[in-house]
Amino acid sequence: MGTALTILDLNSVVLALVLGLTFLVLFEIMRLHVSKGRTPPGPRPLPFLGTIDSIKDPLGSARSMHQYGEMTTVYIGRQPVIVLNTLQITREALVQDASAFSGRPTLPVIDWITNGLGIILVSGHSWKQQRRFALHTLRNFGLGKKSLQERVIEEGHYLVDEMLKEEGTAFDPQHVIQNAVSNIICSIVFGDRFEYDNKHFAYLLKILNENFMLAGSLLGQIFNMVPFIKHFPGPHQKIIQNANELLGFIRGEVKEHRQTLDPENPRDFIDAYLLEMEKQKSNEDSTFHEENMLMSTADLFLAGTDTTATTIRWGLIFLMENPEVQERCHEEIVQVLGYDRLPSMDDRDKLPYTCATVHEIQRCANIVPFSVLHATTQPTKLRGYDIPKGMMIATNLTRILSDEKHWKSPDTFNPENFLDENGHFYKPEAFIVFSVGSRACLGETLAKTELFVFITSLLQRLHFSWPPNSQRPDMDGIVGLVRFPQPFRTICLSRDTKV
């Protein structure tokens, strides 16, 4: 009798679980049906899992989204995301209605790392205070001025010399490029640069790159759907371990700055932030405190390192795949600068083909396929749709940067996309790799300077080619928070300097 009751109880539990799960699935299907009726069309999501194709193959998904119209709705787990597929509707939302579209969404994996602090991924009052201060401080320490350009020019010279140490041998250029780019933002934020053989700094750059991949990978997407897994062991714990190591490095820099701070002569961003914290002590509305300093510094360090370095790495791939472009750039550079005069931003007008090539590298690299996610800060309307507060908004840069309406050769690497009929450089309005509106890239000026000076310096002095019998990397790359090229090796040779 007891055994029969136990079996009956067990059957009842199983039946209750099955009915409960069935009810949850049916409820979710109904919720999705109602939600889809209120949002722009898009691929059919699965209950709880969302739009699987956009997770499994984000680049392929981005390329096909325009079939649904100017706006597409996809789902990250249970969360709808409205994707803007055209330049016109992107400007309509992010520029014309900037205040309503200037927020950032709450993503569990990002919140886990940032605790809702910093500059890039926050919204509202804190973002306004931190961004205003960062822009003002970066300008004070050279952003947009000759002094900073001189640092970039000097670092470009160091980068060429460092690559020449590997002349004639196949090597992975990731570290030297990342170190060179990072040295510029480090000189502003920390007041110093780091040598290419500094093993501790090389390790920090490695885990920085790793976190960009992990946070945007399938692992990061799973975390966003079931964030309570942060309390359990697993590969996702590597994300927070890496973030803590980076913050530990910054804490060490802050401690050193505190001990040597001269209030009359701030040396860099950290000094300026320490002084601002003191100044804002009595302001109850202030967002300037120790933890925000650490995360804002980390934001500048991360954003000023990885995106530009990744673009240059893609650039080497495109130049090796298109040797005729590489040769034409080199000939133009040597004709204007010779082999010895280092390039500067003042040379852009005299180097139209090279300038066009740098921009074409950015277009084809497409390192942030959906741009940085936005969120609505208030209820608004867009093309007849009622958009609630908190809706996630993505810009389909993959489509906009390859839209045949705006580009002569949308699907191939061709610098002619940025040249007019007279061979002069021009920039199509669809070139919005730094985004548009109030949340456009904070470091756009710096990134433009680094990309032009570094790439021109490399093409002036070096020739790049694939190692014999090397396997070409998949041109879709690896999509995380940033679209990275797969690891590759290159052979660089010094150009003959006899003119």
Side-chain angles (χ1 to χ4, degrees):
M1 182 72 175
T3 305
L5 285 173
T6 301
I7 293 170
L8 188 61
D9 286 347
L10 186 60
N11 287 339
S12 298
V13 169
V14 171
L15 180 62
L17 284 173
V18 169
L19 288 173
L21 286 172
T22 304
F23 174 77
L24 280 175
V25 170
L26 289 173
F27 179 79
E28 183 66 7
I29 290 170
M30 288 288 291
R31 190 189 70 83
L32 286 172
H33 180 73
V34 172
S35 175
K36 280 176 67 67
R38 296 172 179 167
T39 56
R44 184 183 296 277
L46 292 176
F48 305 109
L49 298 176
T51 313
I52 295 297
D53 282 350
S54 63
I55 297 172
K56 285 196 309 184
D57 181 18
L59 214 55
S61 178
R63 290 178 182 130
S64 65
M65 279 185 189
H66 67 282
Q67 67 181 292
Y68 297 99
E70 286 194 294
M71 294 188 288
T72 306
T73 303
V74 296
Y75 284 76
I76 299 176
R78 303 179 73 238
Q79 192 106 18
V81 183
I82 293 178
V83 182
L84 310 177
N85 292 319
T86 68
L87 176 65
Q88 185 179 358
I89 201 161
T90 298
R91 289 194 175 280
E92 202 172 301
L94 305 189
V95 179
Q96 294 171 26
D97 197 8
S99 62
F101 285 88
S102 65
R104 291 288 191 221
T106 300
L107 292 172
V109 70
I110 300 300
D111 280 358
W112 194 33
I113 297 169
T114 66
N115 288 317
L117 300 171
I119 307 169
I120 298 171
L121 298 170
V122 296
S123 304
H125 176 63
S126 181
W127 163 65
K128 288 175 182 175
Q129 276 199 346
Q130 297 299 316
R131 181 183 171 95
R132 191 184 307 119
F133 172 78
L135 272 173
H136 175 71
T137 306
L138 292 177
R139 284 175 185 143
N140 283 348
F141 289 107
L143 192 67
K145 297 178 183 175
K146 284 277 186 185
S147 57
L148 184 60
Q149 184 185 173
E150 286 161 8
R151 281 184 238 174
V152 179
I153 292 168
E154 182 182 35
E155 196 65 48
H157 182 64
Y158 293 148
L159 174 60
V160 170
D161 288 348
E162 196 65 24
M163 283 197 168
L164 280 172
K165 292 178 182 177
E166 305 285 349
E167 184 177 8
T169 62
F171 73 103
D172 184 340
Q174 177 171 340
H175 170 65
V176 290
I177 292 172
Q178 203 174 11
N179 207 135
V181 171
S182 190
N183 273 343
I184 307 305
I185 194 65
C186 284
S187 69
I188 298 171
V189 174
F190 305 125
D192 204 358
R193 64 181 293 277
F194 295 86
E195 295 296 338
Y196 294 88
D197 59 359
N198 185 316
K199 286 188 169 51
H200 180 57
F201 191 65
Y203 173 70
L204 288 171
L205 293 177
K206 175 179 169 290
I207 64 175
L208 165 65
N209 190 263
E210 188 174 65
N211 254 24
F212 264 96
M213 285 194 184
L214 288 173
S217 68
L218 178 61
L219 179 65
Q221 301 293 340
I222 292 170
F223 188 99
N224 284 332
M225 287 189 273
V226 281
F228 61 83
I229 65 171
K230 71 180 179 182
H231 301 295
F232 300 97
H236 57 282
Q237 293 294 341
K238 186 66 175 168
I239 297 172
I240 200 68
Q241 289 167 16
N242 287 348
N244 287 338
E245 286 197 62
L246 287 166
L247 288 175
F249 165 71
I250 294 169
R251 276 194 181 90
E253 290 286 330
V254 170
K255 182 179 177 182
E256 193 177 306
H257 277 66
R258 268 206 175 93
Q259 293 167 350
T260 57
L261 178 64
D262 177 359
E264 300 302 317
N265 296 291
R267 297 157 294 187
D268 48 41
F269 180 82
I270 292 177
D271 274 1
Y273 205 109
L274 288 169
L275 295 172
E276 189 68 19
M277 279 169 58
E278 188 64 29
K279 179 180 164 186
Q280 297 266 3
K281 255 184 179 178
S282 59
N283 180 5
E284 293 181 4
D285 203 29
S286 172
T287 60
F288 291 89
H289 52 78
E290 185 86 15
E291 292 305 308
N292 226 349
M293 172 173 59
L294 293 172
M295 195 52 65
S296 292
T297 303
D299 272 358
L300 293 176
F301 175 49
L302 271 61
T305 296
D306 227 72
T307 50
T308 301
T310 299
T311 303
I312 295 173
R313 286 167 59 214
W314 274 114
L316 292 186
I317 291 174
F318 294 130
L319 291 165
M320 289 190 291
E321 285 289 285
N322 298 273
E324 72 289 350
V325 173
Q326 189 177 167
E327 288 307 308
R328 186 169 164 186
C329 285
H330 172 73
E331 288 167 11
E332 182 183 66
I333 293 164
V334 171
Q335 191 173 19
V336 173
L337 304 177
Y339 285 93
D340 299 319
R341 183 165 80 75
L342 300 176
S344 76
M345 294 296 276
D346 296 336
D347 298 314
R348 284 176 299 175
D349 289 344
K350 293 169 276 186
L351 299 170
Y353 190 81
T354 304
C355 192
T357 299
V358 172
H359 283 74
E360 182 69 351
I361 287 170
Q362 289 178 269
R363 184 186 77 86
C364 292
N366 180 28
I367 62 166
V368 193
F370 287 103
S371 194
V372 181
L373 287 175
H374 286 234
T376 48
T377 59
Q378 62 195 47
T380 187
K381 277 185 174 291
L382 187 62
R383 295 291 171 89
Y385 287 98
D386 290 315
I387 313 292
K389 180 181 177 180
M391 175 66 77
M392 281 200 274
I393 307 293
T395 303
N396 191 350
L397 286 184
T398 303
R399 173 58 186 170
I400 293 170
L401 294 174
S402 60
D403 189 337
E404 56 279 358
K405 293 177 185 173
H406 302 290
W407 306 99
K408 301 173 192 172
S409 304
D411 300 319
T412 56
F413 182 85
N414 184 0
E416 299 287 337
N417 280 311
F418 293 91
L419 296 171
D420 65 18
E421 58 276 6
N422 299 314
H424 298 140
F425 173 79
Y426 85 103
K427 187 168 69 175
E429 62 172 350
F431 184 74
I432 58 169
V433 295
F434 296 105
S435 192
V436 291
S438 59
R439 300 225 56 157
C441 177
L442 183 67
E444 179 176 349
T445 302
L446 176 59
K448 285 178 176 177
T449 303
E450 290 173 338
L451 287 168
F452 180 78
V453 171
F454 285 157
I455 292 172
T456 305
S457 297
L458 292 172
L459 290 172
Q460 179 187 30
R461 296 278 310 283
L462 304 174
H463 175 270
F464 295 93
S465 60
W466 292 111
N469 304 316
S470 63
Q471 186 175 352
R472 302 295 194 267
D474 181 347
M475 295 303 282
D476 276 355
I478 304 164
V479 181
L481 291 181
V482 168
R483 178 182 168 232
F484 298 98
Q486 291 184 329
F488 69 93
R489 298 171 87 79
T490 183
I491 291 178
C492 74
L493 294 173
S494 177
R495 293 282 188 173
D496 184 3
T497 55
K498 294 175 185 176
V499 182

